Amino acid sequence: MKKIFLIAAGFFGSLTAYAQEVEQDSTGVGYKKRVLESTEVDFLMSYYKQDGIHSAVSGGKGMEELTDITPTIVIAMPLNDDDVLTVDAGLSAYSSASSGNINPFDSNTPSPWQASSGASASDQLTALVVSYSHSSDDRNTIWNAHASGSTEYDYSSIGFGGGYTRLFNEKNSELSASANVYLDTWQPIYPKELQDYTDNGNDLNGGIFNYFDVEGDGGIYNPTAFKFHDKKNRNSYALSLSYSQVVNQNLQFSLFLDVLQQQGLLSTPYQRVYFADKANYYINEFQLADDVERLPDTRFKVPIGARLNYYINEWLVLRTYYRYYTDNWGITAHTANIELPIKLSEKFTVFPMYRYYMQTAADYFAPYDAHLSTEKYYTSDYDLSKFDAHQYGAGIIYTDIFTKAHIWTMGIKTIELRYNHYNRSDGLDANIISFAIKFVKI
């Protein structure tokens, strides 16, 4: 059975970190292999670009153009035979025409279809995760703990958690449980016209109203529904369970279940909403908000799924994935994924992939200018609408288990490049290019 496990793990990428165990040398004396033989360093980079026609910042209409570059470094260091310390540091720098329209009035011709150059048009997210894992002498028990932190212009987060893994059945079976807590804080920013209207004592004097004329269907612009959010925290609690099984030399499957609870400010403060039963007001082509998104302050989520990987022959593997998701906001979703790694040689593998996703709409979603002011909760964020999505992609991996290629004292173990195109039925399109390289200290 041990041979079966090693063959499967080598192709499926699971459990390999735990294949080490107590063995005997030629004298019959027991010794332990290290969980991680030497320091490993991963450099990862991704480039993401999207566009669409349903900007949530503009109340369900307008451009969704966004670009994001995400460099990340992950360093895994063996502290001794049994313990590994991992540091994961990343930066996400984005430019967004959509979020720039939090204040579109820095232009003489504000429009939901024109990119704003304001401060909110770009931002950087910095994140750091430090984790520690310990393996028992027989490598059948692993526990881990982690702490994390991230910050951006209007949002910060701290997190912590841990997990426990047990291997049995000659390491062909694995049962894991983990728990995580994230404590987040908003520094809310609001649509410019609502911010100025409130700051100016609920009238049209001061701020942008000194520089632009408001045109409307009648009366005076008066967004009476708007008020600042009382809560500024968002706390998330997650419990995860998973089970993996090597069935035979060719087949491996895993099952997983997550239970997530969120509390606090779950709506996004700068996403506009327009009411069908209220008059419309404009500055140039940009419609002034009636209110911002309002959503319940609790959300309960349950995703459950499975992976099945089948070793077809020495050059082809089938990897499949399915997930069902439901929450108490009325969304149910299905995700299916298939990937076919094709081994071209000892060092090169290519993998075409396809992913399908569909979901129902949240109870609180309605498109642009369709909500009523009498409703308690409302959003025109198309991420919460009914849609389906297709993602097509491919990648190539270079693997050198002997790390013959090297840079200074670091050997190159793997290099991976992949491309994906994402298409959503509501008009959102995106392209993603990612690159990763793993070094091992020689």
Side-chain angles (χ1 to χ4, degrees):
M1 290 296 289
K2 182 180 177 182
K3 180 179 179 181
I4 294 174
F5 164 75
L6 292 176
I7 292 174
F11 281 96
F12 303 141
S14 298
L15 308 178
T16 51
Y18 314 125
Q20 313 295 338
E21 61 182 37
V22 177
E23 298 186 358
Q24 291 186 337
D25 60 19
S26 58
T27 64
V29 177
Y31 70 95
K32 289 191 299 184
K33 290 185 178 179
R34 295 167 68 90
V35 174
L36 185 66
E37 291 294 336
S38 58
T39 298
E40 296 184 352
V41 179
D42 289 272
F43 289 102
L44 305 96
M45 175 75 74
S46 67
Y47 173 79
Y48 174 85
K49 184 175 179 62
Q50 74 167 41
D51 202 359
I53 57 174
H54 294 295
S55 168
V57 175
S58 302
K61 68 174 184 178
M63 63 193 306
E64 296 179 85
E65 183 179 325
L66 180 146
T67 59
D68 183 86
I69 299 175
T70 309
T72 303
I73 182 170
V74 182
I75 304 174
M77 299 168 285
L79 302 179
N80 50 49
D81 289 349
D82 304 323
D83 303 313
V84 177
L85 179 68
T86 303
V87 178
D88 181 339
L91 172 70
S92 177
Y94 73 83
S95 173
S96 170
S98 178
S99 65
N101 278 334
I102 296 171
N103 177 18
F105 308 107
D106 59 351
S107 167
N108 291 327
T109 56
S111 167
W113 305 104
Q114 177 176 301
S116 170
S117 59
S120 57
S122 61
D123 196 7
Q124 294 81 40
L125 166 70
T126 56
L128 177 67
V129 182
V130 179
S131 59
Y132 169 84
S133 68
H134 172 80
S135 298
S136 62
D137 287 339
D138 61 7
R139 303 301 186 247
N140 286 329
T141 301
I142 306 100
W143 65 264
N144 66 82
H146 73 84
S148 64
S150 65
T151 183
E152 54 187 310
Y153 177 73
D154 62 335
Y155 201 83
S156 61
S157 174
I158 59 172
F160 53 90
Y164 176 85
T165 298
R166 179 68 180 175
L167 285 83
F168 52 97
N169 188 24
E170 298 186 22
K171 294 185 172 63
N172 286 285
S173 304
E174 177 184 309
L175 184 63
S176 297
S178 64
N180 296 283
V181 175
Y182 296 95
L183 306 176
D184 306 344
T185 303
W186 284 96
Q187 295 178 351
I189 55 176
Y190 297 92
K192 180 63 174 175
E193 66 272 26
L194 296 176
Q195 181 75 51
D196 281 4
Y197 186 82
T198 304
D199 288 347
N200 298 333
N202 295 333
D203 62 35
L204 304 185
N205 296 312
I208 61 171
F209 302 110
N210 282 343
Y211 301 96
F212 295 95
D213 294 327
V214 177
E215 300 178 357
D217 297 338
I220 299 175
Y221 175 59
N222 183 21
T224 55
F226 174 72
K227 61 180 181 179
F228 294 117
H229 289 289
D230 295 327
K231 296 182 178 180
K232 296 181 175 62
N233 66 297
R234 174 185 292 180
N235 299 335
S236 302
Y237 311 92
L239 175 65
S240 301
L241 301 172
S242 66
Y243 173 76
S244 298
Q245 178 65 50
V246 177
V247 179
N248 55 41
Q249 187 170 345
N250 299 89
L251 180 66
Q252 180 195 26
F253 74 87
S254 60
L255 306 172
F256 61 87
L257 169 69
D258 297 310
V259 178
L260 303 96
Q261 175 73 30
Q262 290 184 298
Q263 298 174 343
L265 177 51
L266 305 186
S267 56
T268 304
Y270 50 76
Q271 294 187 169
R272 292 175 174 86
V273 169
Y274 301 107
F275 297 135
D277 57 343
K278 294 292 185 180
N280 297 330
Y281 296 90
Y282 300 85
I283 290 179
N284 197 52
E285 295 181 1
F286 201 94
Q287 185 174 348
L288 305 184
D290 291 321
D291 197 8
V292 294
E293 177 182 79
R294 306 282 176 183
L295 292 168
D297 58 6
T298 62
R299 189 177 186 183
F300 183 71
K301 308 177 183 180
V302 180
I304 183 171
R307 298 179 186 273
L308 190 147
N309 299 331
Y310 187 76
Y311 171 77
I312 299 173
N313 54 43
E314 63 182 7
W315 58 272
L316 181 63
V317 177
L318 172 67
R319 293 178 177 169
T320 62
Y321 167 86
Y322 170 77
R323 188 190 76 160
Y324 171 77
Y325 167 91
T326 185
D327 66 26
N328 64 343
W329 285 9
I331 293 179
T332 60
H334 301 270
T335 306
N337 189 88
I338 184 170
E339 189 174 295
L340 284 170
I342 303 169
K343 194 174 182 64
L344 302 179
S345 67
E346 290 185 354
K347 293 186 177 181
F348 288 95
T349 301
V350 296
F351 51 95
M353 62 82 65
Y354 169 72
R355 177 181 181 269
Y356 174 75
Y357 176 83
M358 64 83 64
Q359 73 172 37
T360 61
D363 296 336
Y364 317 111
F365 172 82
Y368 160 74
D369 212 18
H371 281 291
L372 299 177
S373 60
T374 54
E375 298 172 13
K376 183 177 182 180
Y377 301 118
Y378 32 79
T379 178
S380 293
D381 183 351
Y382 273 71
D383 287 347
L384 299 176
S385 71
K386 178 182 179 181
F387 67 85
D388 58 73
H390 304 269
Q391 183 170 315
Y392 313 87
I396 184 168
I397 299 177
Y398 165 84
T399 304
D400 183 359
I401 60 175
F402 299 109
T403 61
K404 293 181 179 179
H406 62 276
I407 298 177
W408 296 296
T409 61
M410 305 296 290
I412 299 176
K413 188 174 182 179
T414 60
I415 301 175
E416 179 176 338
L417 178 67
R418 65 170 65 200
Y419 165 79
N420 282 274
H421 175 72
Y422 177 80
N423 174 261
R424 211 160 82 175
S425 58
D426 65 358
L428 181 69
D429 287 282
N431 293 285
I432 312 136
I433 300 172
S434 59
F435 171 81
I437 181 169
K438 180 187 287 290
F439 294 95
V440 179
K441 185 173 178 60
I442 300 174

